[in-house]
Every structure is written in structure tokens, then in C-alpha cells.
């Protein structure tokens, strides 16, 4: 692995591109948004004019894109890697949070051309992307993962292989559904305790020493909620997408999961919180 492409140079992709360069790779980016292109060019990373140059010049291409629809358009569209002349061996690493069914369909379409896709959705936010401390949950074959390891290691501190293609995206949706739920349940617990005369910071110290703690009580509340910062770099729009994807997976499996359904409804009904607000703002339903 020598040259790595990064498609999608937003909050996450930009940091990943910089981490890959620090890891010793040649990095070429692509993003249609002028602001994203300008920011990464100011960092000294070359931005290609179009996608075909990436498929031609790169050994692996990392995607950090908003939705499955965009991932599908990039990979199976007219400018996708299937346009790369008969060469095989290209590796695609999709770090976007995506619909696992779409991921599996894309992987099946690319496989006959010798193109491996692994899903490598991430936790850790833009800070983790810049510092190469992301956590990745990985879906793909053992062989593809072994080939990808140097690329993944340049972007992440923790990697968990959870199954074949699509398993990473299933796991990420389960993780984010829990995070979406925990934000609401933690906000309700803080509200209850406040009304009963316990200060939020002291309440959290108690909870975090006990069995009710979660990533939300240990990280989100102290880092982004109680200090009023709400600057995690992960938006309401993206978390709404993840909750919707989890709901649609539950629906496709014809499962009756009542608490998950309620979480989905609360996130859908939070329309007064704008899409570009920080995702932690969901707590304002209880803690305005
Ligand atoms: P973002 O909106 O900041 O960046 C997405 C980038 O993709 C934008 O720069 C956009 O111009 C670009 N893009 C759109 N269409 C494109 C196309 N056809 N070709 C190339 N680029 C295109 O989003 P983000 O916060 O960086 O998130 C990216 C992905 O990572 C999402 O799937 C998100 O759910 C996931 N994620 C984000 C975070 C976070 O904290 N921000 C954490 C974990 C996972």
C-alpha cells in the first residue's frame, strides 16, 4: 500500500486524510464541495479533479460520505471503480455510517471485478479522526482486513472485526441506537434528580461510579452538555440518519422492539432542533 485516496473531506474525512499522510502514505483527496477542497489543499494534500484519477492511482480508497445513497453513487455510478480498466486488487474502505443492506449489495457488485470492500465505520468524532485514535468496527473477509490493516492502523487506535461485509455497519447502527437512547434516558435521569435537589455534576459523579453509567454519562455529558459547549462535530442530521437506519433495519427484520421504536419516535419528533445543531442537543427536550 502506497497511495491512498480519501473521498469525502468533511469533518471526519479531512482528519483521516491527515492521519494517513502522517502514517507515511501518499494521500489524494476528492470532494465536490469547494470549501472542503480548499481546506485540505491548505493542509498540503492534493485534491483530484474527479473520481477516476483515484481509482487509477490509488491502492486503497477510504470513503467518508454522508449517506449510503452517496456511497452507492460513488462506487456504482458512471465514474465508479468499475470504470478502472480490468486491473484488480483495489481495496475500498467505507468508514461512513451506512445501510448494511446497501453495503452488501455494493460489495457483491464490486467483487467480480476483484475489488474488495470492507465496512469500517468509526467512533471518536473529528478529534479522533485527526489524532488517529478512532475506534473501528470492521466487516469484511479476513484476507481483505489483513490487506487493509496498515491503512486502518494509520487512522484508528482500536479495531474490532465483527463479521463479514455489512457486519461493521450493523454494529455501528446498534451502537448509535444505544447512544441515541442513552442521551434521552440520561437527560431524563438528570431532570429527575435536578427536580429532587441533586446537582447534575454530582449526580453524574454518582452514576459514573455505579452500574447506570454509559458513554453518554462518562463522556457526552461532561464534555459537551454540562458545560454548554455542544461542539462534538457530530450533527443532529447525522444522528437522525443513524436512528432512521437502525429503525429500518429493525423493520426489515420484522422485529418488535418497543423501546427502540420509542427512541426513534422521540428523535423524529425533535424537529425544533435544527439539523445542523450538535447531536447532544437532543437532551434539551428535557433540559432546556
Ligand atoms: P460531513 O458532512 O462533514 O462530510 C461529508 C463530506 O462528503 C462533505 O465534505 C461532502 O461535500 C462530501 N461529499 C458529499 N457527496 C460527495 C460525493 N459524491 N463525492 C465525494 N464527496 C462527497 O460529514 P462527517 O461528519 O465527516 O461524516 C462523514 C461520515 O462519517 C457520515 O457517514 C457520518 O455518519 C460518519 N460519522 C461521523 C462522525 C462525526 O463525529 N462527525 C462520527 C462517526 C461517524
Amino acid at each position: 500500500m502506497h497511495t491512498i485516496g480519501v473521498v469525502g473531506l468533511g469533518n471526519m474525512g479531512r482528519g483521516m486524510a491527515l492521519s494517513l499522510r502522517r502514517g507515511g502514505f501518499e494521500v489524494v483527496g476528492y470532494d465536490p464541495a469547494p470549501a472542503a477542497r480548499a481546506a485540505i489543499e491548505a493542509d498540503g494534500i492534493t485534491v483530484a479533479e474527479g473520481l477516476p484519477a483515484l481509482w487509477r492511482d490509488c491502492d486503497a480508497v477510504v470513503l467518508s460520505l454522508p449517506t449510503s445513497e452517496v456511497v452507492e453513487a460513488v462506487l456504482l455510478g458512471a465514474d465508479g471503480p468499475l470504470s478502472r480498466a480490468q486491473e484488480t486488487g483495489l481495496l475500498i474502505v467505507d468508514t461512513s455510517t451506512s445501510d448494511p443492506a446497501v453495503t452488501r449489495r455494493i460489495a457483491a457488485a464490486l467483487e467480480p471485478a476483484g475489488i474488495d470492500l470492507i465496512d469500517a465505520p468509526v467512533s471518536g468524532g473529528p478529534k479522533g479522526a485527526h489524532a488517529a485514535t478512532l475506534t473501528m468496527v470492521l466487516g469484511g473477509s479476513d484476507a481483505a482486513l489483513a490487506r487493509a490493516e496498515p491503512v486502518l492502523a494509520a487512522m484508528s487506535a482500536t479495531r474490532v472485526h465483527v463479521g463479514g461485509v455489512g457486519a461493521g455497519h450493523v454494529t455501528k447502527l446498534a451502537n448509535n441506537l444505544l447512544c441515541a437512547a442513552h442521551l434521552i434516558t440520561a437527560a431524563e435521569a438528570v431532570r429527575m434528580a435536578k427536580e429532587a435537589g441533586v446537582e447534575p455534576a454530582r449526580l453524574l459523579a454518582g452514576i459514573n461510579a455505579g452500574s447506570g453509567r454509559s458513554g453518554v454519562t462518562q463522556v457526552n455529558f461532561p464534555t459537551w452538555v454540562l458545560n454548554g459547549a455542544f461542539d462534538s462535530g457530530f450533527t443532529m442530521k447525522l444522528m437522525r440518519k443513524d436512528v432512521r437506519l437502525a429503525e429500518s433495519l429493525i423493520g426489515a427484520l420484522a422485529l418488535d422492539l418497543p423501546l427502540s421504536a420509542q427512541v426513534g419516535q422521540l428523535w423524529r419528533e425533535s424537529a425544533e432542533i435544527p439539523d445542523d445543531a450538535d447531536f447532544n442537543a437532543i437532551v434539551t427536550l428535557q433540559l432546556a
Side-chain angles (χ1 to χ4, degrees):
M1 295 280 167
H2 179 264
T3 306
I4 312 296
V6 180
V7 178
L9 301 166
N11 286 327
M12 298 298 286
R14 181 178 174 198
M16 289 181 199
L18 296 173
S19 292
L20 285 163
R21 183 176 62 182
R22 237 179 18 257
F25 295 105
E26 279 293 318
V27 179
V28 188
Y30 175 71
D31 195 305
R37 299 168 71 91
I40 202 95
E41 279 176 338
D43 292 327
I45 286 185
T46 307
V47 180
E49 279 309 313
L51 288 166
L54 264 69
W55 316 131
R56 188 188 62 227
D57 299 337
C58 297
D59 304 302
V61 175
V62 175
L63 309 182
S64 177
L65 294 167
T67 63
S68 282
E69 289 74 18
V70 179
V71 171
E72 188 160 23
V74 164
L75 292 179
L76 300 186
D79 281 343
L82 292 170
S83 66
R84 172 170 143 152
Q86 77 288 330
E87 256 184 80
T88 58
L90 181 64
L91 176 71
I92 311 274
V93 177
D94 184 13
T95 70
S96 324
T97 303
S98 296
D99 180 338
V102 176
T103 305
R104 287 171 175 151
R105 191 169 72 228
I106 297 171
L110 296 180
E111 203 241 321
I115 301 171
D116 274 330
L117 171 70
I118 65 175
D119 42 319
V122 296
S123 290
K127 273 197 187 133
H130 275 82
T133 54
L134 293 168
T135 291
M136 291 179 159
V137 282
L138 301 163
S141 68
D142 289 339
L145 257 72
R147 217 150 66 80
E149 175 59 18
V151 178
L152 304 178
M155 298 187 282
S156 60
T158 306
R159 295 173 290 287
V160 184
H161 187 186
V162 290
V165 170
H169 282 148
V170 171
T171 305
K172 178 66 178 164
L173 295 187
N175 181 80
N176 281 22
L177 177 63
L178 284 174
C179 182
H182 290 167
L183 278 163
I184 293 171
T185 53
E188 291 187 359
V190 170
R191 170 82 183 277
M192 176 189 78
K194 235 171 143 179
E195 301 291 332
V198 179
E199 282 305 311
R202 300 181 108 177
L203 171 81
L204 285 169
I207 288 174
N208 287 336
S211 57
R213 68 186 182 274
S214 67
V216 162
T217 61
Q218 292 182 304
V219 178
N220 295 51
F221 266 75
T223 315
W224 298 303
V225 174
L226 292 187
N227 59 6
F230 291 98
D231 62 351
S232 73
F234 187 55
T235 59
M236 285 294 292
K237 183 175 183 176
L238 288 174
M239 188 53 122
R240 285 180 169 128
K241 171 195 74 169
D242 297 352
V243 173
R244 263 198 318 274
L245 285 174
E247 280 191 292
S248 83
L249 180 58
I250 291 166
L253 297 167
L255 296 173
D256 178 20
L257 303 180
L259 188 53
S260 299
Q262 181 73 16
V263 170
Q265 189 180 336
L266 287 166
W267 275 82
R268 261 195 313 283
E269 286 173 355
S270 64
E272 71 272 22
I273 305 171
D275 261 355
D276 62 359
D278 190 86
F279 81 114
N280 292 289
I282 194 75
V283 304
T284 58
L285 294 183
Q286 286 302 331
L287 304 175

